[in-house]
Amino acid sequence: MTPQIVLRPAAPEEIPALLALWARAAKGTSITDDEAGVAALLARDPECLIVAAAADDPGTPLGTPLGTVIAGWDGWRCHLYRLAVDPAHRRQGIGAALLAAAEQRFTALGGRRADAMVLDENAVGHRTWQAAGYHPEPQWSRWVKPLADG
Ligand SMILES: CC(C)(COP(=O)(O)OP(=O)(O)OC[C@H]1O[C@@H](n2cnc3c(N)ncnc32)[C@H](O)[C@@H]1OP(=O)(O)O)[C@@H](O)C(=O)NCCC(=O)NCCS
């Protein structure tokens, strides 16, 4: 059965539940996948972590989180991270709804183009991004330098 969902910004008190969701639903891990990392994100931009939560869950006031996306706007570019939907609730339009909400946020903030890092081997991810209108730019690679141990 497709659950009724609400899309809303993440609340600091649900950070452990979101980390648990990412552990079972997200593809790959992020260097900031811990309580301090997510708390810093929400302190910097309280609206950027969008949660799809079950609307009809009286047991939890916030509703059980079923999916997330981070719609990161730094004043210059629009970056999408941590698009993930609970494996038990996939192919119900939640991922597409999260991306639509993220794009709405970017547009309202003046963003002109959204981007995401997608693992080359993530075929389901490719289909999802493609269905939402994204395409790869093969001329780029990701260049990184760790700034802290760990
Ligand atoms: C990618 C992910 C977020 C998609 O979430 P979802 O809620 O299942 O996606 P939706 O139901 O909104 O699907 C939207 C469209 O994407 C495409 N799509 C999504 N999953 C697909 C699959 N398994 N096979 C083929 N197409 C798929 C379809 O076109 C789909 O539309 P349709 O169902 O009308 O055919 C989910 O599979 C997931 O959490 N995967 C693991 C994490 C991940 O890979 N995230 C992306 C990181 S870059």
Side-chain angles (χ1 to χ4, degrees):
M1 195 182 80
T2 304
Q4 291 293 314
I5 60 157
V6 289
L7 298 172
R8 55 162 179 76
E13 60 267 34
E14 66 183 334
I15 291 174
L18 298 178
L19 289 169
L21 173 64
W22 291 346
R24 66 178 187 278
K27 196 78 176 173
T29 53
S30 168
I31 196 167
T32 34
D33 271 359
D34 54 34
E35 291 214 31
V38 184
L41 175 74
L42 297 187
R44 164 89 170 71
D45 185 349
E47 308 276 314
C48 73
L49 174 43
I50 302 171
V51 175
D56 48 0
D57 188 352
T60 54
L62 288 170
T64 304
L66 302 180
T68 63
V69 70
I70 297 171
W73 165 247
D74 58 14
W76 182 245
R77 289 187 181 153
C78 307
H79 298 298
L80 292 157
Y81 314 93
R82 279 296 178 248
L83 173 65
V85 171
D86 191 310
H89 295 282
R90 289 184 182 163
R91 291 313 285 275
Q92 298 173 358
I94 296 175
L98 284 161
L99 287 180
E103 290 164 11
Q104 209 172 357
R105 167 176 158 81
F106 289 146
T107 304
L109 290 169
R112 301 182 191 180
R113 180 186 59 201
D115 66 43
M117 287 184 303
V118 186
L119 288 167
D120 289 342
E121 66 190 23
N122 185 359
V124 168
H126 294 180
R127 293 202 183 94
T128 304
W129 292 106
Q130 211 159 25
Y134 293 73
H135 65 271
E137 288 192 334
Q139 69 270 34
W140 304 106
S141 306
R142 185 183 185 205
W143 288 42
V144 301
K145 174 183 174 182
L147 299 177
D149 293 335

